[in-house]
Amino acid sequence: MKFRNFKMVDYVVYGRGCFNQLDEILAPRRKDDAPVIFLLDHYFQNDGALKARIPVRGNDLLIDADVSHEPKTSQVDELSQQIKDKFGKVSGVIGIGGGSTMDLAKAVSIMMNNPGKAQDYQGWDLVKNPAVYKAGIPTLSGTGAEVSRTTVLTGPTRKLGMNSDFTPFDQIVLDPALTKDAPANQRFYTGMDCFIHCVESLKGTFINEFSRSYGEKAQDLCEQVFLHENEWTEESDEKLMMASYAGGMSIAYSQVGVAHAISYGLGYLLGTKHGIGNCIVFNHLQDYYPKGVATFHKMVEKNNIFIPEGITKGLTDEQFDTMINVSMGMVPLWENALGKDWKTIMTYDKLRRLYEKF
Ligand code: NAD
Ligand code: ZN
């Protein structure tokens, strides 16, 4: 048995208002006149108050990150090339936003120090050189992208992360005040990503006490905010932010499962976003996660959330095949969910019938 020796985030600051410490945190990381690049989720492009609080100094650059679609390898290549052309070297890349913006920041910081194209590094442990300094600052809670060793990218042939020891952030800034204005639907979809991480980790065959101790806490926090409390408060933002962190820690030492494996196919073919895609799939997974799905249905109802149906209606056989192939390629996820013999359980036909339900 070989145990994973996994790289974690180096520094964590947590607390309402801790975003104000960013200047002080970055100061020792600044090298000569190499700028800091801030990638700010485009949701905040007209938010003058937030922008004024970002410590843009000297020749630093603040870029509005277009996350209308989830990050693509081509977008990472363009951004990193643009930064290299303009500055050569940088002191760091800081991602402020949802999972997409944080993943962009991780990938760009890796590509600043690695040759070739981002697509060359989609996979496990392919990144050659350490990234430039990078920090992640979530404005949505749930993905766990702030703690993970991956950055999920859609490339020309697949949707797959750059999983490596060079991927985790050097610093994360967890300030629950930054999530306060997220609309209820978005907050739910991203929050459910965390809930689903927990169910898939806790019910998976890779489960161990490390993952369980984080997963149970994170799942409990999700249920507190989405099921047991009657209104959204500052405390709810605080709980969901820590749920996201703990959910991420849980899957770091286990793996996700059926919902993620299937939702990757939807994301690849239809561009369905991760959070909502997981909800669309999980909604129909009562055979695999009966208790988790029952709780999910209650949370959907209580929060009055719209979960789309019928998104695969009218797709061609070829399109179904594409989704099935992407999904079947997620081997560790299936192994975690269904065991080593997963292929005898999740057959092509079964998966096709599942895809037809969404
Ligand atoms: P997101 O980052 O895709 O953002 C969704 C939408 O919300 C965007 O339009 C964004 O502009 C907006 N937004 C961001 N902050 C907001 C705020 N405070 N208020 C209102 N709107 C806001 O959503 P997400 O669910 O956080 O992240 C999903 C992405 O994360 C996907 O690309 C997925 O692949 C990735 N992901 C990565 C990991 C990882 O470990 N690296 C894990 C899970 C998901
Ligand atoms: Zn997820």
Side-chain angles (χ1 to χ4, degrees), residues 143 193 197 251 256 260 274 278:
T143 64
D193 190 20
H197 289 161
I251 47 175
V256 287
H260 277 76
H274 187 82
N278 284 346

Side-chain angles (χ1 to χ4, degrees), residues 19-20 40 43-56 62 96 178 180-181:
F19 183 68
N20 292 338
L40 176 64
Y43 174 77
F44 299 102
Q45 62 191 346
N46 299 317
D47 186 338
L50 180 67
K51 282 190 160 172
R53 292 168 63 207
I54 300 175
V56 180
L62 175 58
I96 308 168
L178 296 176
K180 73 176 186 342
D181 296 325

